[in-house]
Amino acid sequence: MALRHGIALDKARDRHQRDRRDFLERHPRSLALSERARQHLLFGVPLHWMDDWPTPCSLFIADARDARLTDVDGIGYTDFCLGDTGAMFGHSPAPVAAAIAREAARGLTAMLPGDDALWVAEELSRRFGMAAWQFALSASDANRFAIRWARAVTGRDCILVFNGCYHGTVDDVFVDLEDGEAKPRASLLGQVYRLTEHTRVVEFNDLAALDAALADGRVACVLAEPAMTNIGMVLPDPDYWEQAQAIIARHGSLLLLDETHTISCGPGGYTAAHGLRPDLLVLGKPLAGGLPAAAYGFSAELAQRAQRAKRDAPPGHSGIGTTLSANRLACAAMRANLAEVMTEDNYRIMFERAGRLAQGLRELFARFALPWCVTQLGARCEFQFSPRPPRNGSEAGAWQDAELERCIHLHLLNRGLLITPFHNMLLLSPYTSAADVDRLLAAFADWLEAVRG
């Protein structure tokens, strides 16, 4: 009997084939829409990532409310994916839906400011300690714009990222370490210039490597999640950021923190919870309750340098920003979400539910004698096929197992439980109940019992 990560592989594969058949039998309308979609949608989906789910055809959704989804075949799901963070506070929160409806009658976009934008900037400054803000339509754009500002104010041409990172569709960051050498990520399509000429990459939690990579004074900014979440969860060592910030400052580089996922740590993200001092900070996905919107903040000193760089430049387009950035609808949604949804009370509920799930998973793996670890980051929880939490992207990537992940995910989905299709990430919203958590643990236990080695 072949074993992988403590699982009998033949049993898991047999179970997966049954789950695929069950899915198709129960989803005739999704199957029909999938066949129709292949005629006019590339890969049969409006965004090719939507083809990454473990289902044998696309799952088409009819309704999304709170922490619940209903598909076109009338089947309901408890949602632990939540739009991969975009709906972290629940689908269509009532205050956000009301603000969108109200603003839709008053004007969607004007390329002129309203008082909602001012309120949002003031609130973000209060939460995150950044002096000045700009808005974008996505965290990808916000990271791209922040990198450009960092290069403009420092006069430096390079950036540094951590191995295995993901910061949206920013070409500069798709560089990995392969046998200690920086190389463009093989999956990146259509890239023609050498990314490694202007992007450096080191392992997370490696202070010596960080110091060496910054030593020649060419790095404009270090772009990082405070804790890595896109290669599987990788937490910083207890003293990592205190020392890393000192190294970055000593070499004259800027620290750009991407809190798009780590906003799960609280109303001020990981930055406020752990007292970090970034020069630039990016927020995306859940900021407007699921509507496309993002923001990026500047420290007081960097804000002055950025304004000076813009005023000293020749007239013309800066290459930063888009026409619909900071549109009225997005600003109204951000204000409602920050004021009434992203609250201390809601975070407390989310933390409690995530803690219940994390502890339940640990007990489950102990019961089945599986050497798997569980990591919690506020309202975010992940299990990995590793005996201990990985310390960097290489370790996290080495323990990933796409085949087993798909087996687990489809088993849960067929039982009305949706988790993130990229590795084993789960999110807990204010609407996720203790009963939802217990139901997921029970369904997972059923799968483990069926495929145990």
Side-chain angles (χ1 to χ4, degrees), residues 62-254:
D63 186 75
R65 305 283 177 88
D66 301 337
R68 302 286 185 271
L69 300 174
T70 305
D71 68 25
V72 293
D73 289 287
I75 299 171
Y77 305 86
T78 298
D79 189 2
F80 289 91
C81 172
L82 298 169
D84 191 26
T85 309
M88 188 172 75
F89 301 97
H91 294 285
S92 196
V96 178
I100 291 172
R102 182 173 62 250
E103 189 57 45
R106 301 172 58 199
L108 303 180
T109 187
M111 212 170 68
L112 291 166
D115 64 350
D116 283 343
L118 176 58
W119 188 97
V120 170
E122 291 170 342
E123 176 64 9
L124 292 176
S125 292
R126 183 187 71 81
R127 293 188 183 210
F128 292 92
M130 309 302 286
W133 293 83
Q134 291 280 272
F135 298 115
L137 287 175
S138 69
S140 293
D141 275 351
N143 279 315
R144 191 176 293 112
F145 301 156
I147 289 170
R148 190 179 289 271
W149 281 116
R151 285 171 165 157
V153 301
T154 62
R156 299 179 176 190
D157 63 326
C158 291
I159 67 167
L160 183 144
V161 296
F162 292 102
N163 189 39
C165 72
Y166 179 77
H167 298 284
T169 55
V170 181
D171 286 5
D172 304 66
V173 308
F174 284 89
V175 177
D176 290 328
L177 282 178
E178 295 183 17
D179 299 322
E181 183 181 353
K183 294 183 178 180
R185 192 168 297 175
S187 60
L188 180 61
L189 296 174
Q191 181 52 257
V192 294
Y193 68 84
R194 292 179 60 84
L195 296 176
T196 51
E197 291 181 1
H198 299 287
T199 300
R200 299 175 183 183
V201 58
V202 299
E203 293 286 11
F204 197 63
N205 281 319
D206 189 337
L207 291 165
L210 176 66
D211 195 8
L214 300 180
D216 66 358
R218 281 186 58 193
V219 174
C221 70
V222 174
L223 170 56
E225 292 185 285
M228 297 185 75
T229 66
N230 278 290
I231 188 69
M233 202 94 79
V234 180
L235 301 183
D237 291 341
D239 62 344
Y240 177 74
W241 276 117
E242 191 61 35
Q243 295 190 56
Q245 287 177 119
I247 291 169
I248 293 166
R250 186 172 73 249
H251 289 297
S253 299
L254 303 174

Side-chain angles (χ1 to χ4, degrees), residues 203-371:
E203 293 286 11
F204 197 63
N205 281 319
D206 189 337
L207 291 165
L210 176 66
D211 195 8
L214 300 180
D216 66 358
R218 281 186 58 193
V219 174
C221 70
V222 174
L223 170 56
E225 292 185 285
M228 297 185 75
T229 66
N230 278 290
I231 188 69
M233 202 94 79
V234 180
L235 301 183
D237 291 341
D239 62 344
Y240 177 74
W241 276 117
E242 191 61 35
Q243 295 190 56
Q245 287 177 119
I247 291 169
I248 293 166
R250 186 172 73 249
H251 289 297
S253 299
L254 303 174
L255 175 58
L256 165 52
L257 290 182
D258 182 353
E259 287 261 22
T260 297
H261 279 179
T262 53
I263 190 65
S264 65
C265 292
Y270 193 102
T271 294
H274 296 270
L276 303 190
R277 304 174 302 279
D279 301 288
L280 288 154
L281 185 143
V282 163
L283 300 168
K285 289 186 183 178
L287 187 57
L291 200 70
Y296 57 107
F298 300 71
S299 69
E301 179 192 1
L302 191 63
Q304 292 181 354
R305 294 171 67 186
Q307 290 177 97
R308 186 163 58 248
K310 172 60 178 167
R311 288 170 180 149
D312 290 346
H317 202 295
S318 64
I320 300 172
T322 59
T323 303
L324 293 179
S325 297
N327 66 78
R328 290 178 57 88
L329 192 65
C331 289
M334 285 189 284
R335 180 172 183 169
N337 202 45
L338 286 164
E340 301 183 62
V341 182
M342 293 176 64
T343 64
E344 294 276 4
D345 287 343
N346 275 341
Y347 270 105
R348 275 193 289 271
I349 296 169
M350 295 157 73
F351 291 172
E352 189 276 329
R353 297 289 186 267
R356 183 186 185 97
L357 176 58
Q359 183 58 29
L361 288 170
R362 292 186 185 103
E363 293 173 359
L364 194 62
F365 300 155
R367 191 206 318 171
F368 287 94
L370 291 171

Side-chain angles (χ1 to χ4, degrees), residues 37-52:
R38 293 192 188 98
Q39 299 177 40
H40 296 292
L41 292 173
L42 198 64
F43 303 104
V45 284
L47 173 65
H48 70 88
W49 290 348
M50 292 180 181
D51 198 34
D52 288 348

